[in-house]
Amino acid sequence: MRIAAKPNDYAVNLQGRQRAGLMWRALFMSATIVGVLALTALLLNIINGAFGYVALEAKVDPTTLAADGVALESQSKDQLVALLRSRLSAGAFNKLDGEMPFDRRSRTDVYDIVLERIVRYNVVRSWNLWESLVNAPGIRAEAEAAVPAAQLRFRAWLNPDFVAGKQSSEALTAGVRTAVLGSLWTILITILVAFPIGVGAAIYLEEYAGSNWLNRVIQTNINNLAGVPSIVYGILGLAIFVRALEPLTSGEVFGVVDPTTANGRTVLSAGLTLGLLVLPIIIINAQEAIRAVPRSLRNASYGLGATQWQTIWHHVLPSALPGILTGTILAISRAIGETAPLVVVGASTAISFDPSSPFSKFTTLPIQIYQWTSRPQSEFRSLAAAAILVLLIMLLTLNAAAILLRNRYTRRA
Amino acid sequence: MTVNNSAEPSSFPTPHLGLTRRPRRREAIIRGLLFSSAAISILTTAGIIYELGKEALLFFQMPGVTFLQTITSTRWQPHTGEFGVWGLVTATLLTSIIAMLVAGPLGLGVAIYLSEYASPRTRRILKPILELLAGVPTIVYGYFALSFMTPLLRSIFGQDIVQVYNTGSAGLVMGILILPLIASMTEDALSAVPRSLREAGYGMGGTRLEVALQVVVPAALSGLAAALILGTSRAIGETMIVAVAAGAGPNFTLNPFIGAETITGHIVRISGGDMSYDSVDYNSIFFLGLLLFVITLSLNIVSQRIVRRFREVYE
């Protein structure tokens, strides 16, 4: 393959060269196709895992719990409460009553408790969506042969109960509400901390900083920080926010310590750690947005006698706002999906109460996914798939909102 | 801010617009606040170096840990007091190399296709897809590695050769993760090559492939090298994929089909369990974190230097 070396050389072996060109073009295109295929495989694999048949075996067969000929599903609330009273130990019953009195609970709530505590369904086999759709008779036969006592039901692991339910160690009753709320609390703190500091730093670097060595060092430093692995931020957060600043992050200083925690592994530490992590991203994006504001706008403002800060606040920032917001949304998307730094900072593995303050224990959605993925049983794998779908939907909504916001602001400007 | 709009041509009184440089305290305060925001980044780096360094030093002062043994031994067994770092480092290198073997050629191919061959309409469809790949959280890739890639490898190579936790599938999925990064950086570098160079090549009779491979790619070589180095740095620092799919025990091996813990996976596993402050495990995290920080920082700096030194400036 030589580009023409001599005049009149243009057509040397043209066909061969063009054939080679076609072959390489196919190679490059196949590289792109591999990328698209990978994305498709990823999404399909997750959806595949989140739905499917399950074989449920009950510890206590619900048909034996029929009272006066009324099947369990149709019993009234009083009958169900009587059932609980007779089957549970006195201590357990009183504990449930203490958490919320039975007359205040709804019938569905009591029914759920009956299922969870007395009937105790257990997943003995599960299949993924593809198998369930394609090989339903085969699955039925397999279930009959291997676990004849079990009921076969099609379960959508991603269902409204899953999204709204709290965390539990039982696969069938587990929900992601605790984790989602933990994520939202953490992100709130992250944004409250990182947005002002990040935009402030960007304004300084673009508007005020001269080109002396200190400012060059700051700029290089920010670029380097953007490339530091996220787990290093987690280690930093562990050392500084959890350990060194424990009185602050656990709430001792404010007198609002969470009685079950009493150490620095709180939502506040997590939010601050993630804040440090996304700070370089926000700064770099905000810098680009501010840089894109035309010089003429600034000069016009100065020409009318405005001070530097007046120019920035009234003209530069509003003009750069869409870009800054886009960068912030990018940073939030990154922060929502981060797992490693929060594991190091100390996400709790077994909390079942929603976070109520910045000083409470926390778990986040990616961490929940990590914990469920690490369990060997297949039903936890399905739970992880359902939780991943929740996470992806959250991210998709966020990014769609970002694009809408950006379009709206750009049009107005 | 007052603006005098009365432009009477005859009598033009000198308006007191206050344009003289009288000291404005509020401006100075604001400037100081903004400077401190920028300086927080310096505090972050200083904090990283200080905290990691301090605890790493503590680690080396613990009984049974010597610097020489750490850097020469290959077994990391805290309960027997052995802290050889090479087992973890080899596993990290193994996964990163596999990831780059996947992401490098594929990323390059995608970038060349997008910048030299694809029509604008194709590019408009493909680029968002690539960005989607880049935006997926890493834990999702970890799940993908465990539930799709490992069974795939096991069905191809046999169940007794490929273990349930292995570095191969983690490396392959990490390659998919890094692919968009390398593709977008390389595509930026290729697009930065001016059209005149391409036209000159076409004018000399080159086919599209020849111009792409013999003119454009060499011209953008510094950007390519920077992309590859940054991709390696990202692969080294990647945590969740290896934590989920690569195995939970340090293992000094070059076999990608068996499990081996990487530096990052080890850090995550140790901090996920019960950990008391000032124990050997706790301090070892900081040493490993410092190691990781130094490696990735060096790679990033090298990448920046390459771009600055070798980038061809055309116009």
Side-chain angles (χ1 to χ4, degrees):
Chain A
M1 274 192 305
R2 294 175 5 246
I3 298 186
K6 307 193 288 288
N8 303 326
D9 230 356
Y10 299 116
V12 167
N13 195 19
L14 191 60
Q15 276 181 330
R17 287 155 62 198
Q18 284 183 332
R19 249 180 295 137
L22 282 177
M23 184 191 78
W24 280 91
R25 181 204 173 113
L27 260 174
F28 295 141
M29 188 159 19
S30 55
T32 322
I33 293 180
V34 165
V36 175
L37 278 182
L39 183 64
T40 328
L42 181 70
L43 290 175
L44 287 182
N45 184 38
I46 295 171
I47 297 179
N48 195 22
F51 303 94
Y53 276 113
V54 289
L56 297 172
E57 215 167 70
K59 207 150 193 264
V60 174
D61 193 354
T63 47
T64 63
L65 296 174
D68 311 319
V70 181
L72 188 66
E73 301 88 61
S74 338
Q75 286 181 17
S76 70
K77 187 174 117 175
D78 296 318
Q79 287 176 305
L80 293 170
V81 175
L83 187 64
L84 277 176
R85 198 190 301 266
S86 61
R87 291 287 184 140
L88 286 178
S89 71
F93 186 81
N94 291 331
K95 182 158 171 252
L96 283 173
D97 201 35
E99 278 172 19
M100 181 168 5
F102 275 103
D103 18 319
R104 285 219 333 239
R105 292 188 191 249
S106 64
R107 187 204 165 260
T108 32
D109 198 17
V110 182
Y111 185 62
D112 284 339
I113 298 181
V114 169
L115 285 181
E116 186 182 339
R117 296 292 200 93
I118 301 183
V119 178
R120 299 252 281 269
Y121 277 119
N122 206 15
V123 177
V124 287
R125 285 285 184 93
S126 64
W127 294 267
N128 58 35
L129 183 64
W130 179 249
E131 286 172 349
S132 308
L133 289 178
V134 163
N135 192 18
I139 291 181
R140 256 186 277 272
E142 188 186 334
E144 280 300 311
V147 278
Q151 285 183 31
L152 197 66
R153 231 179 266 169
F154 186 83
R155 182 175 170 90
W157 290 94
L158 177 66
N159 55 58
D161 289 328
F162 177 71
V163 176
K166 65 181 198 344
Q167 189 197 55
S168 108
S169 49
E170 288 288 315
L172 288 170
T173 51
V176 287
R177 190 186 71 216
T178 324
V180 168
L181 286 179
S183 273
L184 291 177
W185 268 96
T186 313
I187 294 296
L188 185 68
I189 295 180
T190 304
I191 289 302
L192 284 179
V193 163
F195 186 73
I197 298 182
V199 177
I203 295 176
Y204 176 78
L205 286 170
E206 286 298 310
E207 298 284 325
Y208 286 93
S211 56
N212 53 22
W213 71 272
L214 180 60
N215 297 316
R216 264 203 300 274
V217 164
I218 294 182
Q219 183 72 59
T220 324
N221 187 35
I222 291 176
N223 292 340
N224 282 332
L225 277 179
V228 170
S230 54
I231 197 169
V232 175
Y233 281 105
I235 301 177
L236 180 68
L238 177 67
I240 293 190
F241 297 126
V242 174
R243 197 168 172 201
L245 290 183
E246 186 179 324
L248 178 70
T249 52
S250 68
E252 256 177 68
V253 168
F254 305 106
V256 282
V257 183
D258 183 335
T260 52
T261 319
N263 65 24
R265 292 169 195 265
T266 56
V267 177
L268 188 60
S269 302
L272 290 174
T273 309
L274 284 185
L276 279 186
L277 197 150
V278 302
L279 195 61
I281 304 177
I282 295 185
I283 293 180
I284 293 177
N285 278 309
Q287 270 187 286
E288 275 180 35
I290 293 176
R291 209 175 299 155
V293 175
R295 205 124 192 85
S296 49
L297 195 67
R298 291 190 185 87
N299 286 339
S301 174
Y302 291 140
L304 288 174
T307 65
Q308 196 167 13
W309 177 246
Q310 285 167 338
T311 309
I312 295 175
W313 184 253
H314 292 283
H315 298 287
V316 176
L317 272 188
S319 174
L321 202 57
I324 295 181
L325 282 180
T326 313
T328 316
I329 302 280
L330 272 176
I332 300 181
S333 305
R334 168 97 188 262
I336 287 187
E338 280 292 342
T339 329
L342 296 182
V343 172
V344 176
V345 163
S348 298
T349 49
I351 63 169
S352 50
F353 297 106
D354 300 338
S356 50
S357 80
F359 303 110
S360 36
K361 290 198 289 195
F362 72 99
T363 184
T364 60
L365 193 51
I367 292 184
Q368 187 68 278
I369 298 174
Y370 171 52
Q371 282 163 1
W372 278 334
T373 316
S374 313
R375 301 267 213 109
Q377 296 96 348
S378 61
E379 57 262 25
F380 287 105
R381 210 59 70 73
S382 311
L383 279 176
I388 289 178
L389 284 176
V390 173
L391 182 63
L392 289 179
I393 293 176
M394 265 173 75
L395 285 175
L396 212 67
T397 330
L398 196 66
N399 283 318
I403 297 180
L404 278 174
L405 217 87
R406 186 180 57 187
N407 288 345
R408 193 153 159 262
Y409 268 108
T410 320
R411 238 185 321 136
R412 270 222 214 128
Chain B
M1 186 180 89
T2 55
V3 175
N4 194 334
N5 280 324
S6 62
E8 295 156 41
S10 48
S11 71
F12 211 62
T14 320
H16 181 66
L17 287 174
L19 294 175
T20 51
R21 287 171 68 88
R22 70 161 188 262
R24 290 174 178 264
R25 253 221 337 218
R26 211 172 63 137
E27 291 282 317
I29 295 179
I30 291 180
R31 184 198 170 109
L33 274 175
L34 294 178
F35 175 74
S36 43
S37 301
I40 287 191
S41 66
I42 301 257
L43 283 179
T44 312
T45 313
I48 291 180
I49 298 180
Y50 171 67
E51 277 295 332
L52 263 56
K54 179 180 83 169
E55 303 281 348
L57 268 172
L58 278 177
F59 169 69
F60 282 118
Q61 285 165 3
M62 293 226 127
V65 182
T66 63
F67 189 66
L68 199 61
Q69 186 214 39
T70 309
I71 62 173
T72 53
S73 161
T74 64
R75 282 148 55 85
W76 185 281
Q77 312 263 28
H79 38 269
T80 62
E82 297 193 54
F83 287 99
V85 84
W86 277 110
L88 299 173
V89 170
T90 336
T92 308
L93 284 178
L94 193 57
T95 48
S96 307
I97 290 179
I98 296 178
M100 289 310 293
L101 283 178
V102 167
L106 283 182
L108 217 58
V110 170
I112 295 181
Y113 180 73
L114 279 182
S115 86
E116 301 294 318
Y117 286 94
S119 65
R121 198 187 55 175
T122 328
R123 206 173 304 155
R124 244 200 320 246
I125 305 179
L126 283 178
K127 280 201 86 123
I129 293 185
L130 276 184
E131 284 180 26
L132 270 178
L133 264 184
V136 173
T138 54
I139 182 66
V140 178
Y141 277 112
Y143 173 86
F144 181 59
L146 197 59
S147 67
F148 179 80
M149 194 59 82
T150 303
L152 186 67
L153 283 182
R154 295 190 93 189
S155 64
I156 295 180
F157 293 105
Q159 297 235 354
D160 24 311
I161 300 186
V162 183
Q163 291 182 359
V164 175
Y165 295 109
N166 59 73
T167 50
S169 67
L172 289 173
V173 174
M174 218 193 287
I176 301 179
L177 173 74
I178 306 178
L179 175 67
L181 174 73
I182 295 188
S184 71
M185 280 191 69
T186 312
E187 209 229 326
D188 286 342
L190 290 174
S191 315
V193 175
R195 213 157 164 65
S196 51
L197 244 68
R198 290 191 183 86
E199 298 291 347
Y202 293 139
M204 301 275 284
T207 64
R208 205 195 284 213
L209 169 77
E210 290 164 354
V211 167
L213 286 188
Q214 296 184 34
V215 174
V216 182
V217 167
L221 210 53
S222 67
L224 258 71
L228 289 177
I229 295 181
L230 271 182
T232 316
S233 160
R234 180 96 160 81
I236 290 182
E238 176 46 51
T239 315
M240 290 327 288
I241 303 182
V242 286
V244 168
N251 204 350
F252 181 69
T253 170
L254 286 177
N255 182 356
F257 293 134
I258 63 180
E261 211 175 34
T262 64
I263 299 178
T264 46
H266 182 75
I267 297 178
V268 161
R269 184 167 63 91
I270 294 292
S271 28
D274 279 317
M275 193 178 50
S276 51
Y277 294 140
D278 294 326
S279 63
V280 187
D281 279 340
Y282 178 78
N283 290 340
S284 68
I285 287 186
F286 288 85
F287 165 63
L288 292 173
L290 186 65
L291 187 64
L292 209 61
F293 178 67
V294 165
I295 293 178
T296 49
L297 190 67
S298 327
L299 283 177
N300 291 345
I301 290 183
V302 165
S303 147
Q304 285 170 10
R305 285 277 167 79
I306 287 185
V307 168
R308 222 179 315 154
R309 197 76 143 3
F310 296 107
R311 191 209 315 250
E312 313 262 3
V313 178
Y314 291 108
E315 345 241 328

